[in-house]
Amino acid sequence: MIRINEIKLSLDEEESVLKSKAAKVLKINEKYIDTLSIYKKSVDARKKDDVHFSYSVDVEITLDEEQIAAKCKSNKVQLVKPYKYEMPVNKRVSKFRPVVVGFGPAGMFAGLILAQAGLKPIILERGRDVDSRQRDVNRFWKTRELDEESNVQFGEGGAGTFSDGKLTTGIKSPFIRKILEELYEAGAPEEILYSSKPHIGTDRLTVVVKNIRKKIESLGGEVRLECKLEKLICANGFVHGVTYSHKGESIDIEADSVIMAIGHSARDTVEMMYSLGVEIMQKPFSVGARIEHPQRLINEAQYGRFANHPRLGAADYKLACHGLHERGAYTFCMCPGGTVVAAASEKEGVIVNGMSSLARDGENANSALLVGIEPKDFPSEHPLAGIYYQREIEHTAYLLAGGDYRAPAQLVGDFLKGIESRQLGNVNPTCPTGVTLTNLDECLPQKVSATMKSAIVEMDKRLNGFNLYDAVLTAPETRSSSSVRILRDDLLQCNIRGVYPCGEGAGYAGGIISAAVDGVKCAHAVLADEH
């Protein structure tokens, strides 16, 4: 197979011309192209007077591919082999079924791989099925009555279900393609297979999550919902089982392999593991706020005169700068045409996140604007000090906004001046529980707010309008990543043998794809363990 990179199409050209353009690059008649598939598609907006699409395509031809590729003498042309996932050999001899704790991206893909390997995993998820969970979340947003076991953080699909469904990642792994193919098979749009910035959308994610669960169950696995892990049963440094609760009943399962894909908000589970002597260390995390602009402004800043072209859709951005703080500030999980999400999972704590639908057709754009927090900034050297610090910030925000799960908010212009906001301007905040206008300096750590102010001014130089006075900051965002790392060895086990810390909650991932990849890796580790 031959891959051809950097094929340019104008915004008005149809993809049907890719075949002739590929033939031109290869210097052959297009009749010799047997198949053509899009490998990657991106928008090139570096020059605002020439916004266009850039494609990489894979072609199979009826001629000698090696000879044709060599004749091209172009660095845009390369020979590639089609990707095929290979299941590792199952070396397990154990009579026990593996247990996976958590059914977010890491737990889903750990469970799916184990099911495909024929091990019939038992997956425990403390929250409810995705449809019931959606109703619980909507009820919280409407009434501000929080269910601590069924919310934006807990339930089928994990925290990623109420997000943009972004599938971009900074990691490189051969498993990414396997994950994308499984998501597509489960109902995600086909473009996730080739888009340079793939996303599923909150509305489509619910279907995908259910279909992955059904596939696991069809292979003999079990997904037990509303089943909260209470403790690991351990003796002599080995795990022997788990105890979980379901509707008031306590149930034990014998197990010698437990993948802990608990997510970044299962703080009580982390505390349970710490009490058992599991080795945990502090880990840097980030704190900040969601910043909301009119999507129209972002489109114009990114695409210039092409901003309203129907084939472009809503524009995004990714910004970073080093300012007053050694880790600087950066935007994260930008949601074009999206909404800010009230994402609390603990009583008397406020946190926000962002999400958008597949269409990304909302009036506002929002992104996290975050500042790195180092362990030296934590209040103590306790391994869980980062968790307690996050909780303190969230509780302060809860009280500042009125103690009813509204979120504290401030206009960007007022934030830069350090004055309390009194009234909204032309940007209406989208947080579904409502906002209380205030001064965010009162709930964000001083180092965070100072760095954010410096960053907003700096980022405006790269994205015109970023420091729009009426833009709204809604705080706090504290759960972009875990504040702990649960230590594991080269076999991916912690110091209690048979326990595999996994994904974002264990400190080994930061997003849907990286968490799913870690789930695959932990499943492989279980398959390789000869016990």
Side-chain angles (χ1 to χ4, degrees), residues 96-394:
F96 299 119
R97 296 163 69 183
V99 172
V100 179
V101 181
F103 198 60
M108 273 195 292
F109 277 90
L112 180 60
I113 296 298
L114 293 173
Q116 290 175 335
L119 295 189
K120 300 181 179 179
I122 298 170
I123 303 169
L124 306 177
E125 167 55 52
R126 67 194 293 170
R128 303 178 73 188
D129 69 272
V130 72
D131 292 325
S132 300
R133 181 186 179 200
Q134 180 78 67
R135 290 192 291 272
D136 294 337
V137 168
N138 288 338
R139 187 182 308 113
F140 168 57
W141 288 346
K142 185 177 180 179
T143 67
R144 304 183 198 142
E145 295 173 5
L146 177 66
D147 184 332
E148 289 185 274
E149 299 300 339
S150 182
N151 47 60
V152 169
Q153 308 297 342
F154 300 142
E156 183 179 21
T161 304
F162 292 90
S163 71
D164 191 37
K166 236 177 296 297
L167 304 179
T168 48
T169 179
I171 69 167
K172 294 188 182 300
S173 169
F175 302 140
I176 292 174
R177 186 70 188 179
K178 162 71 170 172
I179 291 159
L180 293 176
E181 288 175 355
E182 291 288 355
L183 291 170
Y184 169 56
E185 183 187 312
E190 185 179 11
E191 54 260 35
I192 71 166
L193 298 175
Y194 55 79
S195 172
S196 64
K197 296 177 180 178
H199 84 287
I200 301 177
T202 310
D203 47 339
R204 190 73 75 89
L205 269 166
T206 54
V207 174
V208 171
V209 166
K210 277 190 282 190
N211 285 338
I212 290 176
R213 185 211 333 143
K214 290 175 183 176
K215 184 170 184 177
I216 291 170
E217 291 170 341
S218 73
L219 294 167
E222 288 181 60
V223 181
R224 301 183 185 179
L225 299 164
E226 299 181 65
C227 292
K228 179 181 177 180
L229 179 74
E230 298 295 346
K231 67 178 180 179
L232 297 170
I233 302 169
C234 307
N236 303 317
F238 287 82
V239 68
H240 294 275
V242 301
T243 300
Y244 69 91
S245 57
H246 175 66
K247 296 183 177 178
E249 183 183 2
S250 184
I251 302 163
D252 292 341
I253 305 175
E254 279 192 273
D256 52 20
S257 296
V258 182
I259 295 177
M260 297 292 288
I262 60 176
H264 57 40
S265 293
R267 293 165 170 171
D268 48 0
T269 307
V270 174
E271 290 172 329
M272 177 272 291
M273 295 177 73
Y274 181 71
S275 72
L276 292 174
V278 172
E279 293 176 354
I280 299 175
M281 66 178 287
Q282 296 180 343
K283 176 184 154 295
F285 68 102
S286 296
V287 173
R290 281 273 149 184
I291 185 166
E292 286 190 270
H293 298 90
Q295 182 63 50
R296 171 185 47 79
L297 180 148
I298 305 301
N299 293 347
E300 291 170 357
Q302 296 293 65
Y303 296 148
R305 66 185 177 87
F306 297 96
N308 296 316
H309 197 286
R311 292 182 66 184
L312 281 174
D316 64 4
Y317 59 80
K318 186 177 182 180
L319 303 167
C321 66
H322 292 281
L324 302 175
H325 187 258
E326 58 265 37
R327 291 186 72 209
Y330 61 98
T331 62
F332 176 78
C333 186
M334 192 273 164
C335 296
T339 59
V340 171
V341 176
S345 61
E346 293 182 345
K347 295 288 188 186
E348 300 188 358
V350 164
I351 61 168
V352 292
N353 196 356
M355 74 177 191
S356 53
S357 66
L358 180 61
R360 290 176 159 176
D361 55 0
E363 186 174 322
N364 288 358
N366 77 79
S367 174
L369 177 60
L370 301 176
V371 176
I373 298 289
E374 302 287 345
K376 65 183 179 62
D377 300 316
F378 294 2
S380 77
E381 295 183 0
H382 191 284
L384 308 189
I387 287 177
Y388 305 144
Y389 193 24
Q390 287 174 320
R391 187 177 280 151
E392 179 186 334
I393 294 167
E394 294 160 12

Side-chain angles (χ1 to χ4, degrees), residues 287-291 293 319-325 328-331 368-372 409-421 438-462 466-469 471 473 475:
V287 173
R290 281 273 149 184
I291 185 166
H293 298 90
L319 303 167
C321 66
H322 292 281
L324 302 175
H325 187 258
Y330 61 98
T331 62
L369 177 60
L370 301 176
V371 176
Q410 189 175 15
L411 302 190
V412 163
D414 294 339
F415 180 65
L416 294 177
K417 289 181 178 180
I419 60 174
E420 180 179 326
S421 287
T438 183
N439 187 342
L440 296 184
D441 289 339
E442 295 181 29
C443 70
L444 295 174
Q446 191 277 331
K447 184 179 285 188
V448 170
S449 60
T451 306
M452 285 172 60
K453 289 171 185 177
S454 170
I456 288 170
V457 174
E458 191 63 31
M459 289 175 178
D460 185 69
K461 297 174 185 176
R462 281 172 262 170
F466 194 78
N467 69 348
L468 178 73
Y469 200 107
L473 287 162

